Amino acid sequence: QVQLVESGGGLVQAGGSLRLSCAASGRIFSSYAMGWLRQAPGKEREFVAAISSSGHNTYCADSVKGRFTISRDTAKKTMFLQMNSLKPEDAAFYYCAANPVVLYNGDYDYWGQGTQVTVSS
């Protein structure tokens, strides 16, 4: 079992930055790939970024490439999403998720409760 808790969301002006964190509990964190997905009101949940279990491989959606960076600290069992140059269209509920392998869709095994990101124009 893996429990995930996100934090770091909030209100930011367009062009600003936020850093999301996802704290994991459970012994298998280091063997799981992790991902960030987001869902805006009235829209489907979409893939944002993912990182392999080793942390050596990262993947970002084209819409955030060059602005968002995903990372993980295995010792602290925490994953991060550094979001720079935020745009109003980045506003959404952001979820962290865990799965044995990297996924680009929503079929992750474990999910956090989400954290709200609001971007004012």
Side-chain angles (χ1 to χ4, degrees):
Q1 281 280 1
V2 177
Q3 290 80 44
L4 305 171
V5 179
E6 302 95 332
S7 61
L11 172 64
V12 64
Q13 287 189 330
S17 298
L18 280 175
R19 189 192 196 202
L20 304 184
S21 298
C22 174
S25 60
R27 295 178 297 170
I28 56 176
F29 173 79
S30 61
S31 63
Y32 267 52
M34 304 287 292
W36 288 99
L37 298 95
R38 67 186 181 187
Q39 187 167 21
K43 295 187 177 181
E44 292 187 355
R45 188 173 294 179
E46 64 172 345
F47 170 80
V48 176
I51 187 167
S52 63
S53 58
S54 67
H56 293 157
N57 299 302
T58 61
Y59 312 86
C60 284
D62 289 342
S63 59
V64 305
K65 202 167 290 184
R67 300 187 297 121
F68 290 13
T69 302
I70 188 171
S71 61
R72 65 191 294 165
D73 184 329
T74 299
K76 296 181 178 179
K77 293 185 177 181
T78 304
M79 176 180 64
F80 305 98
L81 185 68
Q82 178 66 44
M83 305 187 295
N84 299 327
S85 303
L86 281 160
K87 304 175 181 180
E89 53 264 41
D90 293 319
F93 227 74
Y94 282 71
Y95 298 89
C96 76
N99 196 73
V101 298
V102 169
L103 294 175
Y104 306 105
N105 58 28
D107 294 339
Y108 283 75
D109 284 350
Y110 301 102
W111 292 83
Q113 84 287 352
T115 186
Q116 180 80 51
V117 172
T118 304
V119 184
S120 63
S121 57

Short mmCIF file of all heavy atoms in Angstrom, two decimals, residues 1 15-16 19 23 26 28 35 37 40 43 50-51 58 63 68-69 82 86 91 96 99 105 120:
data_model
loop_
_atom_site.label_atom_id
_atom_site.label_comp_id
_atom_site.label_asym_id
_atom_site.label_seq_id
_atom_site.Cartn_x
_atom_site.Cartn_y
_atom_site.Cartn_z
N GLN A 1 0.83 -1.20 0.00
CA GLN A 1 0.00 0.00 0.00
C GLN A 1 0.86 1.24 0.00
O GLN A 1 1.93 1.28 0.60
CB GLN A 1 -0.89 0.02 1.25
CG GLN A 1 -2.11 -0.87 1.17
CD GLN A 1 -3.24 -0.24 0.37
OE1 GLN A 1 -3.11 0.86 -0.13
NE2 GLN A 1 -4.34 -0.95 0.23
N GLY A 15 2.76 33.89 -14.70
CA GLY A 15 4.19 34.13 -14.76
C GLY A 15 4.92 33.74 -13.50
O GLY A 15 6.15 33.69 -13.47
N GLY A 16 4.16 33.45 -12.45
CA GLY A 16 4.76 33.08 -11.19
C GLY A 16 5.09 31.60 -11.12
O GLY A 16 4.97 30.85 -12.09
N ARG A 19 5.68 25.26 -6.16
CA ARG A 19 6.32 23.95 -6.05
C ARG A 19 5.37 23.02 -5.30
O ARG A 19 5.07 23.25 -4.13
CB ARG A 19 7.64 24.04 -5.30
CG ARG A 19 8.46 22.75 -5.33
CD ARG A 19 9.59 22.80 -4.35
NE ARG A 19 10.60 21.79 -4.60
CZ ARG A 19 11.45 21.36 -3.67
NH1 ARG A 19 11.42 21.86 -2.45
NH2 ARG A 19 12.35 20.44 -3.97
N ALA A 23 4.04 13.70 -0.56
CA ALA A 23 4.67 12.86 0.45
C ALA A 23 4.03 11.49 0.42
O ALA A 23 2.81 11.36 0.45
CB ALA A 23 4.51 13.50 1.82
N GLY A 26 4.71 4.19 3.09
CA GLY A 26 4.72 2.83 2.58
C GLY A 26 6.13 2.45 2.17
O GLY A 26 6.93 3.28 1.78
N ILE A 28 7.20 0.72 -0.35
CA ILE A 28 7.51 0.44 -1.73
C ILE A 28 7.67 1.70 -2.57
O ILE A 28 7.69 1.64 -3.78
CB ILE A 28 6.44 -0.46 -2.36
CG1 ILE A 28 5.05 0.18 -2.23
CG2 ILE A 28 6.48 -1.82 -1.74
CD1 ILE A 28 3.97 -0.61 -2.91
N GLY A 35 3.70 10.03 -10.77
CA GLY A 35 3.23 10.97 -11.79
C GLY A 35 2.41 12.09 -11.20
O GLY A 35 1.92 12.00 -10.07
N LEU A 37 -0.89 14.44 -12.41
CA LEU A 37 -1.97 14.64 -13.35
C LEU A 37 -2.81 15.79 -12.84
O LEU A 37 -2.76 16.13 -11.65
CB LEU A 37 -2.81 13.38 -13.51
CG LEU A 37 -2.03 12.18 -14.07
CD1 LEU A 37 -1.49 11.29 -12.95
CD2 LEU A 37 -2.87 11.39 -15.05
N ALA A 40 -9.00 20.27 -14.60
CA ALA A 40 -9.65 21.57 -14.49
C ALA A 40 -11.17 21.37 -14.54
O ALA A 40 -11.65 20.36 -15.09
CB ALA A 40 -9.20 22.48 -15.61
N LYS A 43 -13.25 19.69 -17.48
CA LYS A 43 -12.32 19.05 -18.40
C LYS A 43 -11.92 17.68 -17.88
O LYS A 43 -12.06 17.38 -16.70
CB LYS A 43 -11.08 19.92 -18.59
CG LYS A 43 -11.35 21.25 -19.27
CD LYS A 43 -10.06 21.98 -19.57
CE LYS A 43 -10.31 23.28 -20.31
NZ LYS A 43 -9.04 23.99 -20.64
N ALA A 50 5.77 12.65 -15.31
CA ALA A 50 6.01 11.38 -14.62
C ALA A 50 7.51 11.19 -14.43
O ALA A 50 8.32 11.77 -15.16
CB ALA A 50 5.42 10.22 -15.39
N ILE A 51 7.84 10.36 -13.46
CA ILE A 51 9.24 10.08 -13.17
C ILE A 51 9.37 8.60 -12.84
O ILE A 51 8.52 8.02 -12.17
CB ILE A 51 9.75 10.97 -12.01
CG1 ILE A 51 11.26 10.82 -11.80
CG2 ILE A 51 8.97 10.71 -10.73
CD1 ILE A 51 11.84 11.91 -10.91
N THR A 58 12.50 11.12 -16.74
CA THR A 58 11.35 11.99 -16.52
C THR A 58 10.64 12.25 -17.83
O THR A 58 11.23 12.18 -18.91
CB THR A 58 11.78 13.32 -15.88
OG1 THR A 58 12.68 14.00 -16.77
CG2 THR A 58 12.47 13.10 -14.54
N SER A 63 2.51 20.50 -23.15
CA SER A 63 1.95 21.77 -22.68
C SER A 63 2.74 22.37 -21.52
O SER A 63 2.62 23.57 -21.25
CB SER A 63 0.50 21.57 -22.25
OG SER A 63 0.41 20.59 -21.22
N PHE A 68 7.74 23.13 -16.38
CA PHE A 68 7.57 22.29 -15.20
C PHE A 68 8.71 21.29 -15.12
O PHE A 68 9.18 20.77 -16.14
CB PHE A 68 6.26 21.52 -15.27
CG PHE A 68 5.01 22.35 -15.11
CD1 PHE A 68 5.04 23.73 -15.17
CD2 PHE A 68 3.78 21.73 -14.92
CE1 PHE A 68 3.89 24.50 -15.03
CE2 PHE A 68 2.62 22.47 -14.78
CZ PHE A 68 2.68 23.84 -14.84
N THR A 69 9.12 20.98 -13.89
CA THR A 69 10.16 19.98 -13.66
C THR A 69 9.70 19.03 -12.57
O THR A 69 9.31 19.47 -11.48
CB THR A 69 11.48 20.63 -13.24
OG1 THR A 69 11.90 21.56 -14.25
CG2 THR A 69 12.56 19.57 -13.06
N GLN A 82 8.04 21.30 -9.76
CA GLN A 82 8.36 22.71 -9.81
C GLN A 82 7.69 23.32 -11.03
O GLN A 82 7.94 22.88 -12.15
CB GLN A 82 9.88 22.92 -9.89
CG GLN A 82 10.31 24.37 -9.99
CD GLN A 82 9.99 25.15 -8.73
OE1 GLN A 82 10.21 24.68 -7.63
NE2 GLN A 82 9.48 26.37 -8.89
N LEU A 86 3.89 30.09 -14.85
CA LEU A 86 2.53 29.57 -14.84
C LEU A 86 1.59 30.41 -15.69
O LEU A 86 1.71 31.65 -15.74
CB LEU A 86 2.01 29.48 -13.41
CG LEU A 86 2.54 28.26 -12.62
CD1 LEU A 86 2.41 28.48 -11.13
CD2 LEU A 86 1.81 27.01 -13.06
N ALA A 91 -4.26 26.33 -14.34
CA ALA A 91 -5.11 26.22 -13.16
C ALA A 91 -5.90 24.93 -13.19
O ALA A 91 -6.54 24.61 -14.19
CB ALA A 91 -6.06 27.42 -13.09
N CYS A 96 -1.11 13.71 -7.36
CA CYS A 96 0.04 12.85 -7.54
C CYS A 96 -0.45 11.41 -7.53
O CYS A 96 -1.48 11.09 -6.93
CB CYS A 96 1.12 13.10 -6.50
SG CYS A 96 0.80 12.46 -4.86
N ASN A 99 2.54 4.17 -9.42
CA ASN A 99 2.26 2.96 -10.19
C ASN A 99 3.57 2.19 -10.39
O ASN A 99 4.63 2.81 -10.44
CB ASN A 99 1.67 3.35 -11.55
CG ASN A 99 1.00 2.19 -12.24
OD1 ASN A 99 -0.07 1.79 -11.84
ND2 ASN A 99 1.62 1.66 -13.27
N ASN A 105 -1.38 7.97 -18.81
CA ASN A 105 -2.82 8.11 -18.69
C ASN A 105 -3.20 8.06 -17.22
O ASN A 105 -2.35 8.19 -16.34
CB ASN A 105 -3.54 7.02 -19.48
CG ASN A 105 -3.12 5.62 -19.01
OD1 ASN A 105 -2.75 5.44 -17.85
ND2 ASN A 105 -3.18 4.67 -19.91
N SER A 120 -4.00 33.51 -11.57
CA SER A 120 -4.74 34.72 -11.94
C SER A 120 -4.03 35.41 -13.10
O SER A 120 -2.80 35.44 -13.18
CB SER A 120 -4.85 35.67 -10.76
OG SER A 120 -3.56 36.10 -10.35
#
